[in-house]
Coordinates of all heavy atoms in Angstrom, one line a residue:
M1 N -17.5 14.5 -8.5 CA -16.3 13.8 -8.0 C -15.1 14.3 -8.8 O -14.0 14.4 -8.3 CB -16.5 12.3 -8.1 CG -15.3 11.6 -7.5 SD -15.2 11.8 -5.8 CE -13.8 10.8 -5.4
S2 N -15.2 14.6 -10.1 CA -14.1 15.0 -10.9 C -13.5 16.3 -10.5 O -12.3 16.5 -10.7 CB -14.5 15.0 -12.4 OG -15.4 16.1 -12.6
E3 N -14.3 17.2 -9.9 CA -13.7 18.5 -9.4 C -12.8 18.3 -8.2 O -12.0 19.2 -7.9 CB -14.8 19.5 -9.2 CG -15.7 19.2 -8.0 CD -16.9 18.4 -8.5 OE1 -17.1 18.2 -9.7 OE2 -17.7 18.0 -7.6
L4 N -12.9 17.2 -7.5 CA -12.0 16.9 -6.4 C -10.6 16.4 -6.8 O -9.7 16.6 -6.1 CB -12.6 15.9 -5.5 CG -13.9 16.3 -4.8 CD1 -14.5 15.1 -4.0 CD2 -13.7 17.5 -4.0
F5 N -10.5 15.9 -8.0 CA -9.2 15.4 -8.5 C -8.5 16.5 -9.3 O -9.1 17.1 -10.2 CB -9.4 14.2 -9.4 CG -8.1 13.6 -9.9 CD1 -7.4 12.8 -9.0 CD2 -7.7 13.8 -11.2 CE1 -6.2 12.3 -9.5 CE2 -6.5 13.2 -11.6 CZ -5.7 12.5 -10.8
P6 N -7.3 16.8 -8.9 CA -6.6 18.0 -9.5 C -6.0 17.6 -10.9 O -4.8 17.5 -11.1 CB -5.5 18.3 -8.5 CG -5.2 17.0 -7.8 CD -6.5 16.3 -7.8
R7 N -6.8 17.3 -11.9 CA -6.4 16.8 -13.2 C -5.4 17.8 -13.8 O -4.4 17.4 -14.4 CB -7.6 16.6 -14.1 CG -7.3 16.1 -15.5 CD -8.5 15.8 -16.2 NE -9.2 14.7 -15.5 CZ -10.4 14.4 -15.7 NH1 -11.2 15.1 -16.6 NH2 -11.0 13.4 -15.1
K8 N -5.7 19.1 -13.8 CA -4.8 20.1 -14.4 C -3.4 20.1 -13.8 O -2.4 20.1 -14.5 CB -5.4 21.5 -14.3 CG -4.7 22.6 -15.0 CD -5.4 23.9 -14.8 CE -4.7 25.0 -15.5 NZ -5.3 26.3 -15.3
Q9 N -3.3 19.9 -12.5 CA -2.0 19.9 -11.8 C -1.3 18.6 -12.1 O -0.1 18.6 -12.3 CB -2.2 20.1 -10.3 CG -2.4 21.5 -9.9 CD -3.9 22.0 -10.1 OE1 -4.8 21.2 -10.3 NE2 -4.1 23.3 -10.1
V10 N -2.0 17.5 -12.2 CA -1.3 16.2 -12.5 C -0.8 16.2 -13.9 O 0.3 15.8 -14.2 CB -2.3 15.0 -12.2 CG1 -1.7 13.7 -12.8 CG2 -2.6 14.9 -10.8
M11 N -1.6 16.7 -14.9 CA -1.2 16.8 -16.3 C 0.0 17.8 -16.4 O 1.0 17.5 -17.1 CB -2.3 17.3 -17.2 CG -3.4 16.2 -17.3 SD -2.8 14.6 -17.9 CE -2.3 15.1 -19.5
G12 N 0.0 18.9 -15.7 CA 1.1 19.8 -15.7 C 2.4 19.2 -15.1 O 3.5 19.4 -15.6
F13 N 2.2 18.4 -14.1 CA 3.4 17.7 -13.5 C 4.0 16.7 -14.5 O 5.2 16.6 -14.6 CB 3.0 17.0 -12.2 CG 4.1 16.2 -11.5 CD1 5.2 16.8 -11.0 CD2 4.0 14.8 -11.5 CE1 6.2 16.1 -10.4 CE2 5.0 14.1 -10.9 CZ 6.1 14.7 -10.4
V14 N 3.1 15.9 -15.1 CA 3.6 14.9 -16.1 C 4.3 15.7 -17.3 O 5.3 15.2 -17.7 CB 2.4 14.1 -16.6 CG1 2.8 13.2 -17.8 CG2 1.9 13.2 -15.5
F15 N 3.7 16.7 -17.7 CA 4.3 17.5 -18.8 C 5.6 18.1 -18.4 O 6.6 18.1 -19.2 CB 3.4 18.6 -19.3 CG 3.8 19.3 -20.6 CD1 4.0 18.5 -21.7 CD2 3.9 20.6 -20.7 CE1 4.4 19.1 -22.9 CE2 4.3 21.2 -21.8 CZ 4.5 20.5 -23.0
S16 N 5.7 18.5 -17.1 CA 7.0 19.0 -16.6 C 8.1 17.9 -16.6 O 9.2 18.1 -16.9 CB 6.9 19.6 -15.2 OG 6.1 20.7 -15.2
L17 N 7.6 16.7 -16.2 CA 8.6 15.6 -16.2 C 9.0 15.2 -17.6 O 10.2 14.9 -17.9 CB 7.9 14.3 -15.6 CG 7.7 14.4 -14.1 CD1 7.0 13.1 -13.6 CD2 9.0 14.5 -13.4
V18 N 8.1 15.3 -18.6 CA 8.5 15.0 -20.0 C 9.5 16.1 -20.5 O 10.5 15.8 -21.1 CB 7.2 15.0 -20.9 CG1 7.6 15.0 -22.4 CG2 6.4 13.8 -20.6
L19 N 9.2 17.4 -20.2 CA 10.2 18.4 -20.6 C 11.5 18.2 -19.9 O 12.6 18.5 -20.5 CB 9.6 19.8 -20.2 CG 8.4 20.3 -21.1 CD1 7.8 21.5 -20.5 CD2 8.9 20.5 -22.5
T20 N 11.6 17.8 -18.7 CA 12.8 17.6 -18.0 C 13.6 16.4 -18.6 O 14.8 16.4 -18.8 CB 12.6 17.3 -16.5 OG1 11.9 18.4 -15.9 CG2 13.9 17.1 -15.7
A21 N 12.8 15.4 -19.0 CA 13.5 14.2 -19.7 C 14.0 14.6 -21.0 O 15.1 14.2 -21.4 CB 12.5 13.1 -19.8
V22 N 13.3 15.5 -21.8 CA 13.9 15.9 -23.0 C 15.1 16.8 -22.8 O 16.1 16.6 -23.5 CB 12.8 16.8 -23.8 CG1 13.4 17.5 -25.0 CG2 11.6 15.9 -24.2
A23 N 15.1 17.6 -21.8 CA 16.3 18.4 -21.5 C 17.5 17.5 -21.1 O 18.6 17.8 -21.4 CB 16.0 19.5 -20.5
L24 N 17.2 16.5 -20.3 CA 18.2 15.5 -19.9 C 18.8 14.7 -21.0 O 19.9 14.4 -21.0 CB 17.6 14.6 -18.8 CG 18.6 13.7 -18.1 CD1 19.7 14.5 -17.4 CD2 17.9 12.8 -17.2
A25 N 17.9 14.4 -22.0 CA 18.4 13.7 -23.2 C 19.4 14.4 -23.9 O 20.3 13.8 -24.6 CB 17.2 13.4 -24.1
V26 N 19.4 15.7 -23.9 CA 20.5 16.5 -24.6 C 21.8 16.2 -24.0 O 22.8 16.1 -24.8 CB 20.2 18.0 -24.4 CG1 21.3 18.9 -24.9 CG2 18.9 18.4 -25.1
Y27 N 21.9 15.9 -22.8 CA 23.2 15.5 -22.1 C 23.7 14.2 -22.7 O 24.9 14.0 -22.9 CB 23.1 15.5 -20.6 CG 24.3 15.0 -19.9 CD1 25.4 15.9 -19.7 CD2 24.4 13.7 -19.4 CE1 26.5 15.4 -19.1 CE2 25.5 13.3 -18.7 CZ 26.6 14.2 -18.6 OH 27.7 13.7 -17.9
F28 N 22.8 13.2 -22.8 CA 23.2 11.9 -23.2 C 23.4 11.6 -24.7 O 24.2 10.7 -25.1 CB 22.2 10.9 -22.7 CG 22.2 10.7 -21.2 CD1 21.1 11.2 -20.4 CD2 23.3 10.2 -20.5 CE1 21.1 11.1 -19.0 CE2 23.3 10.1 -19.2 CZ 22.2 10.5 -18.4
F29 N 22.8 12.4 -25.5 CA 23.0 12.3 -27.0 C 24.0 13.2 -27.5 O 24.2 14.3 -26.9 CB 21.7 12.5 -27.7 CG 20.6 11.5 -27.4 CD1 19.4 11.9 -26.9 CD2 20.8 10.2 -27.6 CE1 18.4 11.0 -26.6 CE2 19.8 9.2 -27.4 CZ 18.6 9.6 -26.8
D30 N 24.7 12.8 -28.5 CA 25.8 13.6 -29.0 C 25.3 14.6 -30.1 O 25.2 14.3 -31.2 CB 26.9 12.7 -29.7 CG 28.1 13.5 -30.1 OD1 28.4 14.5 -29.5 OD2 28.8 13.0 -31.0
L31 N 24.8 15.7 -29.6 CA 24.2 16.8 -30.4 C 25.2 17.9 -30.6 O 26.0 18.2 -29.8 CB 22.9 17.3 -29.8 CG 21.8 16.2 -29.5 CD1 20.7 16.9 -28.8 CD2 21.3 15.6 -30.8
S32 N 25.0 18.6 -31.7 CA 25.8 19.8 -31.9 C 25.4 20.9 -30.9 O 24.4 20.8 -30.3 CB 25.7 20.3 -33.3 OG 24.4 20.9 -33.5
F33 N 26.3 21.8 -30.7 CA 26.1 22.9 -29.7 C 24.8 23.7 -30.0 O 24.0 24.0 -29.2 CB 27.3 23.8 -29.7 CG 27.1 24.9 -28.7 CD1 27.2 24.7 -27.3 CD2 26.8 26.2 -29.1 CE1 27.0 25.7 -26.4 CE2 26.6 27.3 -28.2 CZ 26.7 27.0 -26.8
A34 N 24.6 24.0 -31.3 CA 23.5 24.8 -31.7 C 22.1 24.1 -31.5 O 21.2 24.6 -30.9 CB 23.6 25.2 -33.2
V35 N 22.1 22.8 -31.8 CA 20.9 22.0 -31.6 C 20.6 21.8 -30.1 O 19.5 21.9 -29.7 CB 21.0 20.6 -32.3 CG1 19.9 19.7 -32.0 CG2 21.1 20.8 -33.8
A36 N 21.7 21.5 -29.4 CA 21.5 21.3 -27.9 C 21.0 22.6 -27.2 O 20.1 22.5 -26.4 CB 22.8 20.9 -27.3
M37 N 21.6 23.7 -27.6 CA 21.1 25.0 -27.0 C 19.7 25.3 -27.4 O 18.9 25.9 -26.6 CB 22.1 26.1 -27.3 CG 23.4 26.0 -26.6 SD 23.3 25.8 -24.8 CE 22.6 27.4 -24.4
T38 N 19.3 25.0 -28.6 CA 18.0 25.3 -29.1 C 17.0 24.5 -28.3 O 16.0 25.0 -27.8 CB 17.8 25.0 -30.6 OG1 18.8 25.8 -31.3 CG2 16.4 25.3 -31.1
I39 N 17.3 23.2 -28.1 CA 16.4 22.3 -27.4 C 16.3 22.8 -25.9 O 15.2 22.8 -25.3 CB 16.9 20.8 -27.5 CG1 16.7 20.3 -28.9 CG2 16.1 19.9 -26.5 CD1 17.3 19.0 -29.1
L40 N 17.4 23.1 -25.3 CA 17.4 23.5 -23.9 C 16.6 24.8 -23.7 O 15.9 25.0 -22.8 CB 18.8 23.7 -23.4 CG 19.6 22.4 -23.2 CD1 21.0 22.6 -22.8 CD2 18.9 21.5 -22.2
L41 N 16.8 25.8 -24.7 CA 16.1 27.1 -24.5 C 14.6 26.9 -24.7 O 13.8 27.4 -24.0 CB 16.6 28.1 -25.6 CG 17.9 28.7 -25.2 CD1 18.4 29.5 -26.4 CD2 17.8 29.6 -24.0
V42 N 14.2 26.1 -25.7 CA 12.8 25.8 -25.9 C 12.1 25.1 -24.7 O 11.1 25.5 -24.2 CB 12.5 25.1 -27.2 CG1 11.1 24.5 -27.3 CG2 12.9 25.9 -28.4
T43 N 12.8 24.1 -24.2 CA 12.2 23.4 -23.1 C 12.2 24.3 -21.8 O 11.3 24.2 -21.0 CB 13.0 22.1 -22.8 OG1 14.4 22.4 -22.6 CG2 12.8 21.1 -23.9
A44 N 13.2 25.2 -21.7 CA 13.2 26.1 -20.5 C 12.0 27.0 -20.6 O 11.3 27.3 -19.5 CB 14.5 26.8 -20.4
F45 N 11.8 27.6 -21.7 CA 10.7 28.6 -21.8 C 9.3 27.9 -21.7 O 8.4 28.4 -21.0 CB 10.8 29.4 -23.1 CG 11.8 30.5 -23.1 CD1 12.9 30.4 -23.8 CD2 11.6 31.6 -22.2 CE1 13.9 31.4 -23.8 CE2 12.5 32.6 -22.1 CZ 13.7 32.5 -22.9
V46 N 9.2 26.7 -22.3 CA 7.9 26.0 -22.1 C 7.7 25.6 -20.7 O 6.6 25.7 -20.2 CB 7.9 24.8 -23.1 CG1 6.6 23.9 -22.8 CG2 7.9 25.2 -24.5
Q47 N 8.8 25.2 -20.0 CA 8.7 24.8 -18.6 C 8.3 26.0 -17.8 O 7.4 25.9 -16.8 CB 10.0 24.3 -18.1 CG 10.0 23.8 -16.7 CD 9.5 22.4 -16.5 OE1 8.3 22.2 -16.8 NE2 10.3 21.5 -16.1
A48 N 8.8 27.2 -18.1 CA 8.4 28.4 -17.3 C 7.0 28.7 -17.5 O 6.3 29.1 -16.6 CB 9.3 29.6 -17.8
V49 N 6.5 28.6 -18.7 CA 5.1 28.8 -19.0 C 4.2 27.8 -18.3 O 3.2 28.2 -17.7 CB 4.8 28.8 -20.5 CG1 3.3 28.8 -20.8 CG2 5.5 30.0 -21.2
V50 N 4.5 26.6 -18.3 CA 3.8 25.6 -17.5 C 3.7 25.9 -16.1 O 2.7 25.8 -15.4 CB 4.3 24.2 -17.8 CG1 3.8 23.1 -16.8 CG2 4.1 23.7 -19.2
Q51 N 4.9 26.3 -15.5 CA 4.9 26.6 -14.1 C 4.0 27.8 -13.8 O 3.3 27.8 -12.7 CB 6.4 26.9 -13.7 CG 7.3 25.7 -13.7 CD 6.9 24.6 -12.8 OE1 6.5 24.8 -11.7 NE2 7.0 23.4 -13.3
L52 N 4.1 28.8 -14.6 CA 3.3 30.0 -14.3 C 1.8 29.8 -14.5 O 1.0 30.2 -13.6 CB 3.7 31.1 -15.3 CG 4.9 31.9 -15.0 CD1 5.3 32.8 -16.2 CD2 4.7 32.7 -13.8
V53 N 1.4 29.1 -15.5 CA 0.0 28.9 -15.7 C -0.6 27.8 -14.9 O -1.7 28.0 -14.2 CB -0.3 28.6 -17.2 CG1 -1.7 28.3 -17.5 CG2 0.2 29.8 -18.1
V54 N 0.0 26.7 -14.7 CA -0.6 25.6 -14.0 C -0.4 25.7 -12.5 O -1.3 25.5 -11.8 CB 0.0 24.2 -14.6 CG1 -0.6 23.1 -13.8 CG2 -0.4 24.0 -16.0
F55 N 0.8 25.9 -12.1 CA 1.1 25.8 -10.7 C 1.0 27.2 -9.9 O 0.8 27.2 -8.7 CB 2.5 25.2 -10.4 CG 2.5 23.8 -11.0 CD1 3.4 23.5 -12.1 CD2 1.8 22.8 -10.4 CE1 3.4 22.2 -12.6 CE2 1.8 21.5 -10.9 CZ 2.6 21.2 -12.0
M56 N 1.3 28.3 -10.6 CA 1.2 29.6 -10.0 C -0.2 30.2 -10.3 O -0.4 31.4 -9.8 CB 2.3 30.4 -10.4 CG 3.7 29.8 -10.0 SD 5.1 30.7 -10.6 CE 5.4 31.7 -9.2
H57 N -1.0 29.6 -11.0 CA -2.4 30.0 -11.3 C -2.4 31.5 -11.9 O -3.2 32.3 -11.4 CB -3.3 29.9 -10.1 CG -3.2 28.6 -9.4 ND1 -3.9 27.5 -10.0 CD2 -2.6 28.1 -8.3 CE1 -3.6 26.4 -9.2 NE2 -2.8 26.8 -8.2
A58 N -1.5 31.8 -12.8 CA -1.4 33.1 -13.4 C -2.7 33.6 -14.1 O -3.0 34.8 -14.1 CB -0.2 33.2 -14.3
G59 N -3.4 32.7 -14.7 CA -4.6 33.1 -15.5 C -5.9 32.9 -14.8 O -6.9 33.0 -15.4
E60 N -5.9 32.6 -13.5 CA -7.2 32.2 -12.9 C -7.8 33.3 -12.0 O -8.8 33.1 -11.4 CB -6.9 31.0 -12.0 CG -6.6 29.7 -12.8 CD -6.4 28.5 -11.9 OE1 -6.6 28.6 -10.7 OE2 -6.0 27.5 -12.4
T61 N -7.2 34.5 -12.0 CA -7.8 35.6 -11.2 C -8.4 36.6 -12.1 O -8.2 36.6 -13.4 CB -6.7 36.2 -10.4 OG1 -5.7 36.8 -11.2 CG2 -6.1 35.2 -9.4
G62 N -9.0 37.6 -11.6 CA -9.7 38.6 -12.3 C -8.7 39.6 -13.0 O -9.0 40.2 -14.0
D63 N -7.5 39.7 -12.4 CA -6.5 40.7 -13.0 C -5.5 39.9 -13.8 O -4.3 40.3 -13.8 CB -5.9 41.5 -11.9 CG -5.1 40.6 -10.9 OD1 -5.4 39.4 -10.8 OD2 -4.3 41.1 -10.1
K64 N -5.9 38.9 -14.6 CA -4.9 38.2 -15.3 C -4.3 39.0 -16.5 O -3.2 38.8 -16.9 CB -5.6 36.9 -15.9 CG -6.6 37.1 -17.0 CD -7.0 35.7 -17.5 CE -8.0 35.9 -18.6 NZ -8.5 34.6 -19.1
G65 N -5.1 40.0 -16.9 CA -4.5 40.9 -18.0 C -3.3 41.6 -17.5 O -2.3 41.8 -18.1
S66 N -3.4 42.1 -16.2 CA -2.2 42.9 -15.7 C -1.1 41.9 -15.3 O 0.1 42.3 -15.5 CB -2.7 43.7 -14.4 OG -3.1 42.8 -13.4
I67 N -1.4 40.7 -15.0 CA -0.3 39.7 -14.7 C 0.4 39.4 -15.9 O 1.7 39.4 -16.0 CB -0.9 38.5 -14.0 CG1 -1.4 38.8 -12.6 CG2 0.1 37.3 -14.0 CD1 -2.2 37.6 -12.0
Y68 N -0.3 39.1 -17.0 CA 0.4 38.8 -18.3 C 1.1 40.0 -18.9 O 2.2 39.9 -19.5 CB -0.6 38.2 -19.3 CG -1.0 36.8 -19.0 CD1 -2.3 36.5 -18.9 CD2 0.0 35.8 -18.7 CE1 -2.7 35.2 -18.6 CE2 -0.4 34.5 -18.4 CZ -1.7 34.2 -18.3 OH -2.1 32.9 -18.0
T69 N 0.6 41.2 -18.7 CA 1.2 42.5 -19.1 C 2.5 42.7 -18.4 O 3.6 43.0 -19.0 CB 0.3 43.7 -18.9 OG1 -0.9 43.5 -19.6 CG2 1.0 45.0 -19.4
N70 N 2.5 42.4 -17.1 CA 3.8 42.5 -16.3 C 4.8 41.5 -16.7 O 6.0 41.8 -16.7 CB 3.5 42.4 -14.8 CG 2.8 43.6 -14.2 OD1 2.9 44.7 -14.8 ND2 2.0 43.5 -13.2
L71 N 4.3 40.3 -17.0 CA 5.3 39.2 -17.4 C 5.9 39.6 -18.8 O 7.1 39.4 -19.0 CB 4.5 37.9 -17.5 CG 4.2 37.2 -16.2 CD1 3.3 36.0 -16.5 CD2 5.5 36.8 -15.6
F72 N 5.1 40.1 -19.7 CA 5.6 40.5 -21.0 C 6.6 41.7 -20.8 O 7.6 41.7 -21.5 CB 4.4 40.9 -21.9 CG 4.9 41.5 -23.2 CD1 5.4 40.6 -24.2 CD2 4.8 42.8 -23.5 CE1 5.8 41.1 -25.4 CE2 5.3 43.3 -24.7 CZ 5.7 42.4 -25.7
Y73 N 6.2 42.6 -20.0 CA 7.1 43.8 -19.7 C 8.5 43.3 -19.1 O 9.5 43.7 -19.6 CB 6.5 44.8 -18.8 CG 7.3 46.0 -18.5 CD1 7.6 46.9 -19.4 CD2 7.9 46.1 -17.2 CE1 8.4 48.0 -19.1 CE2 8.7 47.2 -16.9 CZ 8.9 48.1 -17.8 OH 9.8 49.2 -17.5
G74 N 8.4 42.4 -18.2 CA 9.6 41.8 -17.6 C 10.5 41.1 -18.6 O 11.7 41.2 -18.6
F75 N 9.8 40.3 -19.5 CA 10.5 39.6 -20.5 C 11.2 40.5 -21.5 O 12.3 40.3 -21.9 CB 9.5 38.7 -21.2 CG 10.1 37.8 -22.3 CD1 11.0 36.7 -21.9 CD2 9.9 38.0 -23.6 CE1 11.6 35.9 -22.8 CE2 10.5 37.2 -24.5 CZ 11.3 36.1 -24.2
A76 N 10.5 41.6 -21.8 CA 11.1 42.6 -22.8 C 12.3 43.3 -22.1 O 13.3 43.5 -22.8 CB 10.0 43.6 -23.1
I77 N 12.2 43.6 -20.9 CA 13.3 44.3 -20.2 C 14.5 43.3 -20.1 O 15.6 43.7 -20.3 CB 12.9 44.7 -18.7 CG1 11.9 45.8 -18.8 CG2 14.1 45.1 -17.9 CD1 12.4 47.1 -19.5
A78 N 14.2 42.0 -19.9 CA 15.3 41.0 -19.8 C 16.0 40.9 -21.2 O 17.2 40.8 -21.3 CB 14.8 39.7 -19.4
L79 N 15.2 40.9 -22.2 CA 15.8 40.8 -23.6 C 16.6 42.0 -23.9 O 17.7 41.9 -24.5 CB 14.7 40.6 -24.6 CG 14.1 39.2 -24.7 CD1 13.0 39.2 -25.8 CD2 15.1 38.2 -25.0
V80 N 16.1 43.2 -23.6 CA 16.9 44.4 -23.8 C 18.2 44.4 -23.0 O 19.2 44.8 -23.6 CB 16.0 45.7 -23.5 CG1 16.9 46.9 -23.5 CG2 14.9 45.8 -24.5
T81 N 18.1 43.9 -21.8 CA 19.3 43.9 -21.0 C 20.3 42.9 -21.6 O 21.5 43.2 -21.7 CB 19.0 43.5 -19.5 OG1 18.0 44.4 -19.0 CG2 20.2 43.4 -18.7
I82 N 19.9 41.7 -21.9 CA 20.8 40.7 -22.5 C 21.4 41.1 -23.8 O 22.6 41.1 -24.0 CB 20.0 39.3 -22.7 CG1 19.7 38.7 -21.3 CG2 20.8 38.4 -23.5 CD1 18.7 37.6 -21.4
F83 N 20.6 41.6 -24.7 CA 21.1 42.0 -26.0 C 21.9 43.3 -25.9 O 22.9 43.5 -26.7 CB 20.0 42.1 -27.1 CG 19.6 40.7 -27.6 CD1 18.3 40.3 -27.3 CD2 20.4 39.9 -28.3 CE1 17.9 39.0 -27.7 CE2 20.0 38.7 -28.7 CZ 18.8 38.2 -28.4
G84 N 21.6 44.2 -25.0 CA 22.4 45.4 -24.8 C 23.8 45.0 -24.2 O 24.8 45.6 -24.7
T85 N 23.8 44.1 -23.3 CA 25.1 43.6 -22.8 C 25.9 43.0 -23.9 O 27.1 43.2 -24.0 CB 24.8 42.6 -21.7 OG1 24.1 43.3 -20.7 CG2 26.2 42.2 -21.1
L86 N 25.3 42.1 -24.7 CA 26.0 41.5 -25.8 C 26.5 42.6 -26.8 O 27.6 42.5 -27.3 CB 25.1 40.5 -26.6 CG 24.8 39.2 -25.8 CD1 23.8 38.4 -26.6 CD2 26.1 38.4 -25.6
L87 N 25.7 43.5 -27.1 CA 26.1 44.6 -28.0 C 27.3 45.4 -27.5 O 28.2 45.6 -28.3 CB 24.9 45.5 -28.2 CG 25.0 46.7 -29.2 CD1 25.0 46.1 -30.6 CD2 23.9 47.7 -29.0
I88 N 27.3 45.7 -26.3 CA 28.4 46.5 -25.7 C 29.6 45.7 -25.5 O 30.7 46.1 -25.8 CB 27.9 47.2 -24.4 CG1 26.9 48.2 -24.8 CG2 29.1 47.8 -23.7 CD1 26.2 48.8 -23.5
L89 N 29.5 44.5 -24.8 CA 30.7 43.8 -24.4 C 31.3 42.8 -25.4 O 32.5 42.6 -25.4 CB 30.4 43.0 -23.1 CG 30.0 43.8 -21.9 CD1 29.6 42.9 -20.8 CD2 31.1 44.7 -21.5
I90 N 30.5 42.3 -26.3 CA 31.0 41.3 -27.2 C 31.1 41.8 -28.6 O 32.1 41.6 -29.3 CB 30.1 40.0 -27.2 CG1 30.2 39.4 -25.8 CG2 30.5 39.0 -28.3 CD1 29.3 38.2 -25.6
W91 N 30.1 42.5 -29.1 CA 30.1 42.9 -30.5 C 30.8 44.3 -30.7 O 30.8 44.8 -31.8 CB 28.6 43.0 -31.0 CG 28.0 41.6 -31.0 CD1 28.6 40.5 -31.3 CD2 26.6 41.4 -30.7 NE1 27.6 39.4 -31.2 CE2 26.4 40.0 -30.9 CE3 25.5 42.1 -30.4 CZ2 25.2 39.3 -30.7 CZ3 24.3 41.5 -30.2 CH2 24.1 40.1 -30.4
D92 N 31.3 44.9 -29.7 CA 32.1 46.1 -29.8 C 31.5 47.2 -30.5 O 32.0 47.8 -31.4 CB 33.5 45.8 -30.4 CG 34.4 45.0 -29.5 OD1 34.2 45.1 -28.3 OD2 35.2 44.2 -30.0
M93 N 30.2 47.6 -30.1 CA 29.6 48.7 -30.8 C 29.4 49.8 -29.9 O 29.4 49.8 -28.8 CB 28.2 48.2 -31.4 CG 28.4 47.2 -32.5 SD 26.8 47.0 -33.2 CE 27.4 46.1 -34.7

């Protein structure tokens, strides 16, 4: 009977709600900019991982290695693009 109940999805949903509440708390508490942005970035990345693993079933197929490799590659390209843009436009290098 326990395999009929989607325990993993329910726990992922509850964890997503907790992460959303933490991110919403940043709005209501008087935090410094650096602390608020750190909390928001951490909750955003953890939320993305929860969505990928629990709800999009990224690790449940036979080609999970290629899925995670593609995710890592996309993340690396995004970081290079962001920091390259900052380097050129803001830091005047």
Side-chain angles (χ1 to χ4, degrees):
M1 182 69 177
S2 67
E3 65 269 356
L4 296 178
F5 184 74
R7 179 175 297 162
K8 185 177 176 183
Q9 283 78 18
V10 171
M11 292 302 294
F13 178 68
V14 170
F15 193 53
S16 293
L17 289 176
V18 169
L19 287 170
T20 303
V22 170
L24 184 63
V26 170
Y27 177 76
F28 290 111
F29 295 121
D30 189 26
L31 301 173
S32 69
F33 179 76
V35 172
M37 288 306 293
T38 302
I39 292 172
L40 289 175
L41 283 172
V42 168
T43 56
F45 281 113
V46 173
Q47 183 82 295
V49 169
V50 167
Q51 295 295 321
L52 280 170
V53 173
V54 175
F55 299 113
M56 299 173 97
H57 308 285
E60 295 181 3
T61 61
D63 61 344
K64 71 177 181 178
S66 64
I67 290 172
Y68 287 127
T69 302
N70 287 336
L71 286 173
F72 177 74
Y73 179 70
F75 185 69
I77 293 297
L79 285 178
V80 168
T81 303
I82 290 168
F83 284 112
T85 302
L86 289 173
L87 182 72
I88 291 171
L89 297 176
I90 294 176
W91 295 326
D92 291 331
M93 293 189 169

